[in-house]
Short mmCIF file of all heavy atoms in Angstrom, two decimals:
data_model
loop_
_atom_site.label_atom_id
_atom_site.label_comp_id
_atom_site.label_asym_id
_atom_site.label_seq_id
_atom_site.Cartn_x
_atom_site.Cartn_y
_atom_site.Cartn_z
N VAL A 177 112.04 118.85 91.60
CA VAL A 177 113.25 119.57 91.17
C VAL A 177 114.49 118.71 91.48
O VAL A 177 115.44 118.66 90.69
CB VAL A 177 113.34 120.96 91.85
CG1 VAL A 177 114.68 121.62 91.55
CG2 VAL A 177 112.19 121.85 91.36
N GLY A 178 114.46 118.01 92.63
CA GLY A 178 115.58 117.12 92.97
C GLY A 178 115.79 116.03 91.93
O GLY A 178 116.92 115.73 91.53
N VAL A 179 114.70 115.44 91.47
CA VAL A 179 114.80 114.38 90.45
C VAL A 179 115.21 115.00 89.10
O VAL A 179 116.03 114.44 88.37
CB VAL A 179 113.48 113.58 90.33
CG1 VAL A 179 113.60 112.53 89.24
CG2 VAL A 179 113.14 112.92 91.66
N ALA A 180 114.66 116.18 88.80
CA ALA A 180 115.05 116.87 87.55
C ALA A 180 116.55 117.15 87.56
O ALA A 180 117.24 116.96 86.54
CB ALA A 180 114.26 118.18 87.41
N ARG A 181 117.08 117.59 88.70
CA ARG A 181 118.52 117.86 88.79
C ARG A 181 119.32 116.58 88.54
O ARG A 181 120.34 116.58 87.84
CB ARG A 181 118.88 118.45 90.17
CG ARG A 181 120.35 118.81 90.27
CD ARG A 181 120.71 119.40 91.61
NE ARG A 181 120.50 118.46 92.69
CZ ARG A 181 120.71 118.75 93.98
NH1 ARG A 181 121.09 119.96 94.33
NH2 ARG A 181 120.51 117.85 94.91
N ALA A 182 118.85 115.46 89.11
CA ALA A 182 119.55 114.19 88.92
C ALA A 182 119.55 113.75 87.46
O ALA A 182 120.47 113.08 87.00
CB ALA A 182 118.90 113.11 89.80
N LEU A 183 118.51 114.16 86.71
CA LEU A 183 118.39 113.76 85.30
C LEU A 183 119.01 114.77 84.33
O LEU A 183 119.07 114.53 83.13
CB LEU A 183 116.90 113.62 84.94
CG LEU A 183 116.17 112.41 85.52
CD1 LEU A 183 114.67 112.59 85.36
CD2 LEU A 183 116.62 111.12 84.86
N ALA A 184 119.48 115.90 84.86
CA ALA A 184 119.82 117.03 84.00
C ALA A 184 120.87 116.72 82.94
O ALA A 184 120.75 117.14 81.80
CB ALA A 184 120.26 118.22 84.85
N ALA A 185 121.90 115.99 83.31
CA ALA A 185 123.00 115.76 82.36
C ALA A 185 122.77 114.50 81.51
O ALA A 185 123.71 113.93 80.96
CB ALA A 185 124.32 115.65 83.11
N GLU A 186 121.49 114.09 81.41
CA GLU A 186 121.12 112.93 80.61
C GLU A 186 121.90 111.67 81.01
O GLU A 186 122.47 110.98 80.16
CB GLU A 186 121.29 113.23 79.11
CG GLU A 186 120.42 114.39 78.65
CD GLU A 186 120.80 114.94 77.28
OE1 GLU A 186 121.68 114.36 76.62
OE2 GLU A 186 120.22 115.95 76.88
N PRO A 187 121.94 111.37 82.33
CA PRO A 187 122.71 110.20 82.75
C PRO A 187 122.03 108.91 82.28
O PRO A 187 120.81 108.87 82.15
CB PRO A 187 122.65 110.29 84.28
CG PRO A 187 121.34 110.96 84.57
CD PRO A 187 121.18 111.96 83.45
N GLU A 188 122.85 107.91 82.02
CA GLU A 188 122.28 106.61 81.65
C GLU A 188 121.79 105.89 82.90
O GLU A 188 120.96 104.99 82.82
CB GLU A 188 123.33 105.76 80.94
CG GLU A 188 123.67 106.25 79.55
CD GLU A 188 124.51 105.22 78.81
OE1 GLU A 188 125.68 105.05 79.18
OE2 GLU A 188 123.98 104.59 77.87
N VAL A 189 122.37 106.27 84.06
CA VAL A 189 122.04 105.59 85.31
C VAL A 189 121.58 106.62 86.33
O VAL A 189 122.16 107.69 86.47
CB VAL A 189 123.28 104.83 85.86
CG1 VAL A 189 123.02 104.29 87.27
CG2 VAL A 189 123.64 103.68 84.93
N LEU A 190 120.51 106.27 87.06
CA LEU A 190 119.98 107.12 88.11
C LEU A 190 119.95 106.31 89.40
O LEU A 190 119.34 105.24 89.46
CB LEU A 190 118.57 107.57 87.72
CG LEU A 190 117.81 108.53 88.62
CD1 LEU A 190 118.59 109.80 88.88
CD2 LEU A 190 116.45 108.87 88.01
N VAL A 191 120.64 106.80 90.43
CA VAL A 191 120.65 106.16 91.75
C VAL A 191 119.72 106.98 92.66
O VAL A 191 119.88 108.19 92.77
CB VAL A 191 122.08 106.13 92.34
CG1 VAL A 191 122.05 105.66 93.80
CG2 VAL A 191 122.99 105.22 91.52
N MET A 192 118.75 106.31 93.27
CA MET A 192 117.77 107.02 94.09
C MET A 192 117.68 106.36 95.46
O MET A 192 117.42 105.16 95.55
CB MET A 192 116.39 107.02 93.41
CG MET A 192 116.43 107.50 91.97
SD MET A 192 114.79 107.61 91.21
CE MET A 192 114.30 109.25 91.69
N ASP A 193 117.89 107.15 96.50
CA ASP A 193 117.88 106.61 97.86
C ASP A 193 116.67 107.18 98.60
O ASP A 193 116.67 108.36 98.98
CB ASP A 193 119.19 107.00 98.57
CG ASP A 193 119.35 106.25 99.88
OD1 ASP A 193 118.46 105.45 100.24
OD2 ASP A 193 120.37 106.47 100.56
N GLU A 194 115.64 106.35 98.77
CA GLU A 194 114.38 106.77 99.42
C GLU A 194 113.90 108.11 98.84
O GLU A 194 113.59 109.03 99.60
CB GLU A 194 114.60 106.93 100.94
CG GLU A 194 114.92 105.64 101.67
CD GLU A 194 113.69 104.86 102.09
OE1 GLU A 194 112.55 105.26 101.75
OE2 GLU A 194 113.86 103.83 102.74
N PRO A 195 113.82 108.25 97.51
CA PRO A 195 113.58 109.59 96.95
C PRO A 195 112.24 110.18 97.34
O PRO A 195 112.09 111.39 97.38
CB PRO A 195 113.66 109.35 95.44
CG PRO A 195 113.30 107.91 95.27
CD PRO A 195 113.88 107.22 96.46
N PHE A 196 111.25 109.31 97.63
CA PHE A 196 109.91 109.83 97.91
C PHE A 196 109.52 109.64 99.37
O PHE A 196 108.36 109.81 99.74
CB PHE A 196 108.88 109.14 96.99
CG PHE A 196 109.29 109.14 95.54
CD1 PHE A 196 109.33 107.97 94.81
CD2 PHE A 196 109.66 110.32 94.91
CE1 PHE A 196 109.71 107.97 93.47
CE2 PHE A 196 110.06 110.33 93.57
CZ PHE A 196 110.08 109.16 92.86
N GLY A 197 110.50 109.31 100.20
CA GLY A 197 110.22 108.96 101.59
C GLY A 197 109.57 110.06 102.39
O GLY A 197 108.79 109.80 103.31
N ALA A 198 109.87 111.32 102.07
CA ALA A 198 109.37 112.43 102.89
C ALA A 198 108.02 112.96 102.39
O ALA A 198 107.46 113.86 102.99
CB ALA A 198 110.39 113.56 102.88
N LEU A 199 107.52 112.39 101.30
CA LEU A 199 106.28 112.93 100.71
C LEU A 199 105.05 112.27 101.31
O LEU A 199 105.07 111.09 101.68
CB LEU A 199 106.28 112.69 99.20
CG LEU A 199 107.44 113.32 98.42
CD1 LEU A 199 107.29 112.99 96.94
CD2 LEU A 199 107.48 114.83 98.61
N ASP A 200 103.96 113.03 101.36
CA ASP A 200 102.73 112.41 101.86
C ASP A 200 102.21 111.45 100.78
O ASP A 200 102.57 111.55 99.61
CB ASP A 200 101.69 113.47 102.26
CG ASP A 200 100.98 114.09 101.08
OD1 ASP A 200 100.36 113.34 100.30
OD2 ASP A 200 101.03 115.33 100.93
N PRO A 201 101.38 110.46 101.19
CA PRO A 201 101.02 109.36 100.28
C PRO A 201 100.43 109.80 98.95
O PRO A 201 100.69 109.19 97.92
CB PRO A 201 99.99 108.57 101.09
CG PRO A 201 100.33 108.85 102.51
CD PRO A 201 100.84 110.26 102.54
N VAL A 202 99.62 110.87 98.94
CA VAL A 202 98.98 111.29 97.69
C VAL A 202 100.03 111.81 96.71
O VAL A 202 100.09 111.40 95.55
CB VAL A 202 97.91 112.38 97.96
CG1 VAL A 202 97.30 112.85 96.65
CG2 VAL A 202 96.83 111.83 98.88
N ILE A 203 100.89 112.71 97.19
CA ILE A 203 101.95 113.27 96.32
C ILE A 203 102.92 112.16 95.93
O ILE A 203 103.44 112.13 94.83
CB ILE A 203 102.73 114.40 97.03
CG1 ILE A 203 101.79 115.49 97.51
CG2 ILE A 203 103.78 114.99 96.11
CD1 ILE A 203 102.48 116.59 98.29
N ARG A 204 103.15 111.24 96.85
CA ARG A 204 104.10 110.16 96.62
C ARG A 204 103.69 109.33 95.40
O ARG A 204 104.51 109.00 94.54
CB ARG A 204 104.15 109.29 97.87
CG ARG A 204 105.24 108.28 97.87
CD ARG A 204 105.28 107.57 99.21
NE ARG A 204 106.36 106.62 99.21
CZ ARG A 204 107.13 106.37 100.23
NH1 ARG A 204 106.97 107.02 101.35
NH2 ARG A 204 108.09 105.47 100.16
N GLY A 205 102.39 109.00 95.33
CA GLY A 205 101.89 108.23 94.17
C GLY A 205 102.12 108.97 92.87
O GLY A 205 102.52 108.39 91.87
N LYS A 206 101.90 110.28 92.90
CA LYS A 206 102.10 111.11 91.70
C LYS A 206 103.58 111.14 91.32
O LYS A 206 103.94 111.01 90.15
CB LYS A 206 101.58 112.52 91.98
CG LYS A 206 101.88 113.55 90.90
CD LYS A 206 100.96 113.41 89.69
CE LYS A 206 101.19 114.50 88.67
NZ LYS A 206 102.26 114.24 87.72
N ALA A 207 104.45 111.28 92.34
CA ALA A 207 105.90 111.33 92.09
C ALA A 207 106.38 110.01 91.48
O ALA A 207 107.23 109.99 90.58
CB ALA A 207 106.65 111.63 93.38
N GLN A 208 105.84 108.89 91.97
CA GLN A 208 106.21 107.58 91.42
C GLN A 208 105.80 107.48 89.95
O GLN A 208 106.56 106.99 89.11
CB GLN A 208 105.54 106.47 92.24
CG GLN A 208 106.09 106.32 93.64
CD GLN A 208 105.20 105.44 94.49
OE1 GLN A 208 104.17 104.93 94.06
NE2 GLN A 208 105.59 105.26 95.75
N ASP A 209 104.58 107.94 89.66
CA ASP A 209 104.09 107.88 88.27
C ASP A 209 104.93 108.79 87.37
O ASP A 209 105.22 108.43 86.22
CB ASP A 209 102.61 108.26 88.21
CG ASP A 209 101.72 107.18 88.83
OD1 ASP A 209 102.19 106.03 88.96
OD2 ASP A 209 100.58 107.49 89.19
N ASP A 210 105.30 109.97 87.89
CA ASP A 210 106.20 110.87 87.14
C ASP A 210 107.50 110.14 86.79
O ASP A 210 107.98 110.20 85.66
CB ASP A 210 106.59 112.09 88.01
CG ASP A 210 105.53 113.18 88.00
OD1 ASP A 210 104.57 113.07 87.22
OD2 ASP A 210 105.67 114.13 88.78
N LEU A 211 108.06 109.48 87.80
CA LEU A 211 109.34 108.78 87.59
C LEU A 211 109.19 107.71 86.50
O LEU A 211 110.03 107.61 85.61
CB LEU A 211 109.83 108.15 88.89
CG LEU A 211 111.09 107.28 88.74
CD1 LEU A 211 112.29 108.12 88.32
CD2 LEU A 211 111.39 106.51 90.01
N LEU A 212 108.11 106.92 86.57
CA LEU A 212 107.90 105.86 85.58
C LEU A 212 107.79 106.44 84.17
O LEU A 212 108.38 105.91 83.22
CB LEU A 212 106.63 105.06 85.91
CG LEU A 212 106.74 104.09 87.07
CD1 LEU A 212 105.36 103.51 87.39
CD2 LEU A 212 107.73 102.97 86.78
N ALA A 213 107.04 107.53 84.04
CA ALA A 213 106.84 108.14 82.71
C ALA A 213 108.16 108.67 82.16
O ALA A 213 108.49 108.48 80.98
CB ALA A 213 105.81 109.27 82.82
N ILE A 214 108.92 109.32 83.02
CA ILE A 214 110.17 109.95 82.57
C ILE A 214 111.24 108.89 82.30
O ILE A 214 111.99 108.96 81.34
CB ILE A 214 110.61 111.00 83.60
CG1 ILE A 214 109.75 112.25 83.38
CG2 ILE A 214 112.07 111.35 83.49
CD1 ILE A 214 109.59 113.12 84.55
N GLN A 215 111.27 107.87 83.16
CA GLN A 215 112.22 106.77 82.97
C GLN A 215 111.97 106.08 81.62
O GLN A 215 112.89 105.75 80.89
CB GLN A 215 112.09 105.78 84.13
CG GLN A 215 113.10 104.65 84.11
CD GLN A 215 112.58 103.41 83.41
OE1 GLN A 215 111.38 103.24 83.21
NE2 GLN A 215 113.50 102.53 83.03
N LYS A 216 110.70 105.91 81.29
CA LYS A 216 110.33 105.28 80.02
C LYS A 216 110.78 106.17 78.85
O LYS A 216 111.32 105.70 77.86
CB LYS A 216 108.81 105.11 79.97
CG LYS A 216 108.34 103.97 79.11
CD LYS A 216 106.85 103.74 79.31
CE LYS A 216 106.51 102.27 79.11
NZ LYS A 216 105.17 101.96 79.57
#
Side-chain angles (χ1 to χ4, degrees):
V177 173
V179 178
R181 183 179 63 182
L183 288 166
E186 299 166 6
E188 290 191 289
V189 171
L190 183 55
V191 171
M192 309 184 87
D193 191 0
E194 295 274 4
F196 311 126
L199 300 180
D200 78 57
V202 177
I203 304 176
R204 190 174 181 142
K206 172 77 175 86
Q208 291 167 359
D209 290 340
D210 278 352
L211 174 65
L212 285 173
I214 282 155
Q215 184 267 342
K216 207 171 211 167

